[in-house]
Amino acid sequence: MKALLEVSGISVSFDGFRAINNLSFSIGPAELRAVIGPNGAGKTTFMDIVTGKTRPDEGRVLWGEKSVNLLRMNEAQIARAGIGRKFQRPTVFEDQSVTENLMMALKAARAPWKVLVWRPCPADHARVAALAAQVGLADSLTRKSGELSHGQKQWLEIGMLLAQEPRLLLVDEPAAGMTLAEREQTTALLVDLAKTRAVVVVEHDMDFVRRLNCRVTVLHEGSVLAEGSLDHVTADRQVIEVYLGR
Amino acid sequence: MKPGFLAKNPSVLAFLALLALFTLAVTLLSTAYGAEIVSTSMVKTLGKTLCLCLIAIAMDLVWGYTGILSLGHFAFFGLGGYMIGMWLMVARTREIVLASAAGVLPMTLQELSDAIATQIFGVVGSSELPAIWHFAGSLPMQLIFVVLVPGLLAFLFGWLAFRSRVTGVYLSILTQAMTLALSLYLFQNDSGLRGNNGLSGLQNIPGLAADQDHLSVWFLWASAVALGLGYLLASFVTSGKFGSVMRGIRDDEARVRFLGYSVESYKLFVFTLTAVIAAIAGALYYPQAGIINPAEMAPIASIYLAVWVAIGGRGRLYGAVMGAAFVSLVSTWFTGGRAPDLTLGIYTVKWVDWWQVLLGLSFVLVTLFAPKGLSGLVDLLAGLRTPWRGGTPLGPDDGSLREEEAVE
Ligand SMILES: Nc1ncnc2c1ncn2[C@@H]1O[C@H](COP(=O)(O)OP(=O)(O)O)[C@@H](O)[C@H]1O
Ligand SMILES: [Mg+2]
């Protein structure tokens, strides 16, 4: 199976500190992958590179059937190519309503002059309502998203991610601030999504990762330490040493 | 525009109604058309104020909605004024030259254009029309330039600045530098726009025999129409998804990028659009002022614009209008020497000198204590105040349940 995203040999330094060190990674078009690793391992920086926020010093990032070079594209182009991202800290537009947040994310033309004359049709409203229902915000459509609780903001951001209909979802620590029930709901959703698209989940919580029941990549000091099933990596001596042992 | 737009935005309708009422009232009280209660110079002041309200809307779009603190929009306002001023001067001078030559030998075209050039450029020791005045005799061309010249300047400037992702304070400084450079350039005698003399006699409209009493009312109408259309356009732009994206860029532009919107294109679009609105406002303002010179484009003017919008309340169109109208009218009153001096025992406060201090102080106070500005008063009237939710939040964020809410 050809990979959807192919990252090879990337490195990046901040003021001489190597945050990512010759990292390679690839994921198929309908695959769920968990990325774990201690704090500062470079998980967020890895997502920054794939989404165009940070330029690597070296290496390649290729995307899709045509192997497009993502390093030549800016953040907006990469997002339009079909890579969606959920941030570690929930980032929604707090001054705007849940509907407005979802409308903005909804897959549609993104050029200014097209957005200017774009007005939602009944189908768009229905889609927004469906998305809100899916993430448990059906009664909050008209509320300002700044009023939502931390967990609800996480959900809204997941809803916005779904609205974009990306082919690859990068999800950074989705379970933070969620209750146990919400975590279970999130795992179910992510597993379901990965049936039709690629999903990369960064998470600390081992129970959460276990429920995902997928291939796991362990990062440490900016490179891949181990990869395989959760049982395989947790049995790895190196992994135990740097991560689980502590 | 889609039908139902006004129905969905009742505040637009209210604004347009108020504007129409205001214009009608001034007309009925004017010297030319009514009770002769409002003097012609007052009509001009009010007409100019409407133009300032229009540029304040532009500033609100670019700063209040998109978060780009441009301190250069008065440059576009001034440029618009210069473009229309060029036609006004040439056409008016031609009338004068032809009138004084009447009865004498008929002039050739060359002699006529030389005479016009000498009349206009005598003050800067030249007798030739500079190349940029090539189309100055044609009203349609100069009207096109009113939009085109500031629009192009804004587009080029914005393209360079936004493409290299200059934001925040650095962008503000850059826009100040642009205004400063432009006004310094225009101050030079060989800039082709009469240096510090600027353009004058703009209050006379060539081809119209009407007196100032009538002209001032006509310009008031034109300014009111422009303001009304500008308000409509601005509410159309900010009401839909485009407005959402604008506010998103203001609050978190990186997040907007990850949704797939090219933030740079949006900023460029808004910056250029608002520059054009500012230019149109300027083109209506200066014929009422009668004179334009480079001092009008000094950086301080653009800073005042930001102060108006802040005092009025940014992020709301009527806030910008309220701020511009209120501050500029009060400022006219204070600086016009009509405000009575305030005697404080040993020191007498002369408002002409102290007005700026008062303005600065109000700016600081509004920023600190009333971020919604004057438009917050509308909220008070409409009972729209957000309820005070005191107590300690129970969760990690602002939105979570508060102590006393949980008790209930
Ligand atoms: N923009 C930056 N400037 C400097 N250092 C950075 C920057 N981004 C990340 N780092 C550093 O790179 C390392 C990896 O960070 P990060 O990717 O956030 O780790 P993780 O998400 O795995 O906890 C950390 O040591 C962090 O301090
Ligand atoms: Mg992280």
Side-chain angles (χ1 to χ4, degrees):
Chain A
M1 187 170 61
K2 173 125 177 39
L4 177 67
L5 176 76
E6 176 102 50
V7 175
S8 43
I10 51 167
S11 298
V12 68
S13 306
F14 298 112
D15 311 315
F17 169 73
R18 262 191 167 210
I20 297 285
N21 189 3
N22 193 22
L23 179 118
S24 297
F25 178 95
S26 89
I27 187 168
E31 188 185 342
L32 179 59
R33 179 77 62 87
V35 175
I36 61 174
N39 256 327
K43 305 178 297 287
T44 300
T45 308
F46 162 70
M47 290 194 173
D48 286 346
I49 290 172
V50 173
T51 53
K53 191 178 175 198
T54 301
R55 298 258 162 245
D57 303 328
E58 54 190 285
R60 285 188 313 169
V61 181
L62 299 178
W63 167 255
E65 292 73 23
K66 295 191 190 125
S67 292
V68 187
N69 183 0
L70 287 189
L71 298 182
R72 290 229 195 89
M73 293 157 71
N74 63 32
E75 298 97 313
Q77 287 167 329
I78 292 174
R80 288 199 295 269
I83 299 183
R85 175 171 187 184
K86 195 209 152 296
F87 289 82
Q88 196 165 341
R89 193 173 51 86
T91 42
V92 296
F93 298 101
E94 311 229 334
D95 192 36
Q96 307 198 34
S97 69
V98 170
T99 304
E100 285 171 312
N101 270 284
L102 289 170
M103 276 294 177
M104 222 193 301
L106 213 59
K107 192 179 168 109
R110 294 295 201 233
W113 46 92
K114 288 194 178 144
V115 170
L116 191 58
V117 293
W118 186 89
R119 288 293 183 267
C121 60
D124 297 315
H125 280 298
R127 176 98 180 96
V128 163
L131 281 165
Q134 195 177 357
V135 294
L137 290 171
D139 340 318
S140 308
L141 277 175
T142 55
R143 283 177 74 191
K144 278 227 165 108
S145 64
E147 293 174 5
L148 301 177
S149 73
H150 190 80
Q152 285 177 313
K153 284 181 194 167
Q154 295 273 39
W155 279 109
L156 174 56
E157 201 179 357
I158 292 173
M160 289 166 73
L161 196 57
L162 299 179
Q164 290 183 70
E165 299 176 24
R167 296 181 63 200
L168 168 64
L169 282 82
L170 302 172
V171 190
D172 205 349
E173 306 202 15
M178 283 189 177
T179 62
L180 190 63
E182 284 176 325
R183 282 164 190 245
E184 279 174 5
Q185 230 179 322
T186 313
T187 31
L189 177 66
L190 290 173
V191 169
D192 188 47
L193 285 172
K195 287 176 188 151
T196 51
R197 63 197 82 201
V199 180
V200 178
V201 188
V202 164
E203 192 46 70
H204 271 303
D205 180 7
M206 276 303 160
D207 291 329
F208 189 95
V209 175
R210 189 167 298 282
R211 275 197 303 271
L212 288 177
N213 190 24
C214 66
R215 217 173 141 84
V216 176
T217 301
V218 186
L219 285 195
H220 176 56
E221 290 180 353
S223 35
V224 177
L225 192 64
E227 199 166 271
S229 72
L230 186 62
D231 290 330
H232 170 80
V233 299
T234 47
D236 188 296
R237 199 179 46 75
Q238 266 184 307
V239 175
I240 296 172
E241 212 168 280
V242 304
Y243 187 31
L244 302 165
R246 281 186 296 173
Chain B
M1 222 171 289
K2 269 199 157 185
F5 169 73
L6 281 178
K8 272 185 237 150
N9 297 274
S11 79
V12 177
L13 218 52
F15 177 83
L16 294 180
L18 273 176
L19 182 64
L21 212 65
F22 166 81
T23 314
L24 186 69
V26 176
T27 306
L28 291 180
L29 296 175
S30 70
T31 314
Y33 292 100
E36 306 195 12
I37 292 173
V38 176
S39 70
T40 295
S41 78
M42 191 61 199
V43 174
K44 284 189 180 181
T45 302
L46 293 174
K48 286 190 290 183
T49 303
L50 294 181
C51 300
L52 297 179
C53 293
L54 182 56
I55 189 183
I57 288 181
M59 184 66 182
D60 202 19
L61 286 180
V62 78
W63 180 37
Y65 281 88
T66 322
I68 307 167
L69 177 51
S70 162
L71 296 177
H73 266 59
F74 251 96
F76 306 125
F77 186 83
L79 272 181
Y82 264 104
M83 291 305 127
I84 198 68
M86 287 161 81
W87 174 76
L88 286 168
M89 271 202 101
V90 165
R92 168 94 180 139
T93 311
R94 175 190 286 129
E95 278 185 352
I96 294 172
V97 169
L98 285 178
S100 64
V104 204
L105 283 175
M107 287 173 122
T108 66
L109 273 181
Q110 185 60 41
E111 280 167 340
L112 177 62
S113 102
D114 284 349
I116 293 174
T118 315
Q119 277 276 337
I120 297 179
F121 280 92
V123 283
V124 290
S126 164
S127 58
E128 253 174 85
L129 276 186
I132 51 170
W133 289 70
H134 186 74
F135 294 106
S138 148
L139 178 61
M141 282 309 286
Q142 288 303 128
L143 284 178
I144 290 173
F145 286 160
V146 163
V147 170
L148 210 60
V149 172
L152 264 179
L153 177 67
F155 184 84
L156 281 177
F157 177 90
W159 189 71
L160 290 170
F162 299 136
R163 194 189 50 147
S164 25
R165 298 213 177 158
V166 182
T167 54
V169 179
Y170 298 98
L171 188 88
S172 303
I173 293 173
L174 219 56
T175 54
Q176 276 273 282
M178 174 199 73
T179 347
L180 185 62
L182 192 65
S183 83
L184 288 181
Y185 174 73
L186 289 176
F187 263 121
Q188 295 178 341
N189 278 345
D190 52 10
S191 66
L193 289 165
R194 302 208 330 158
N196 63 351
N197 305 290
L199 309 181
S200 53
L202 309 182
Q203 70 278 26
N204 306 302
I205 308 304
L208 287 182
D211 57 9
Q212 289 297 314
D213 293 343
H214 286 84
L215 272 179
S216 63
V217 177
W218 296 351
F219 265 103
L220 179 85
W221 293 343
S223 307
V225 168
L227 178 59
L229 290 177
Y231 198 93
L232 263 178
L233 176 71
S235 14
F236 175 73
V237 167
T238 54
S239 66
K241 191 159 75 165
F242 197 92
S244 267
V245 175
M246 285 167 81
R247 286 178 288 151
I249 290 173
R250 175 191 67 195
D251 296 337
D252 189 348
E253 67 172 63
R255 185 70 181 89
V256 178
R257 284 201 186 97
F258 290 118
L259 286 178
Y261 294 95
S262 160
V263 168
E264 288 67 40
S265 318
Y266 279 79
K267 286 185 174 176
L268 187 56
F269 187 97
V270 173
F271 193 74
T272 310
L273 175 72
T274 55
V276 168
I277 295 177
I280 292 171
L284 280 165
Y285 180 93
Y286 287 105
Q288 303 181 69
I291 179 162
I292 178 172
N293 64 50
E296 305 273 329
M297 294 153 85
I300 187 73
S302 301
I303 296 179
Y304 273 135
L305 180 59
V307 172
W308 297 343
V309 174
I311 288 184
R314 71 202 139 101
R316 292 152 168 225
L317 296 175
Y318 59 84
V321 172
M322 284 169 77
F326 179 73
V327 182
S328 72
L329 284 177
V330 172
S331 143
T332 312
W333 187 63
F334 275 122
T335 54
R338 260 172 286 177
D341 290 347
L342 190 64
T343 319
L344 297 171
I346 46 167
Y347 188 80
T348 305
V349 176
K350 290 202 171 60
W351 285 115
V352 180
D353 307 326
W354 278 88
W355 155 242
Q356 308 243 344
V357 177
L358 186 67
L359 182 62
L361 210 63
S362 345
F363 177 60
V364 172
L365 290 179
V366 164
T367 314
L368 288 179
F369 300 115
K372 281 184 185 169
L374 289 174
S375 71
L377 294 176
V378 178
D379 288 3
L380 271 181
L381 288 176
L384 276 178
R385 269 187 73 155
T386 38
W388 166 249
R389 306 166 73 199
T392 325
L394 295 179
D397 233 86
D398 270 351
S400 51
L401 213 59
R402 307 227 163 200
E403 234 165 31
E404 51 275 33
E405 288 173 329
V407 172
E408 289 161 28

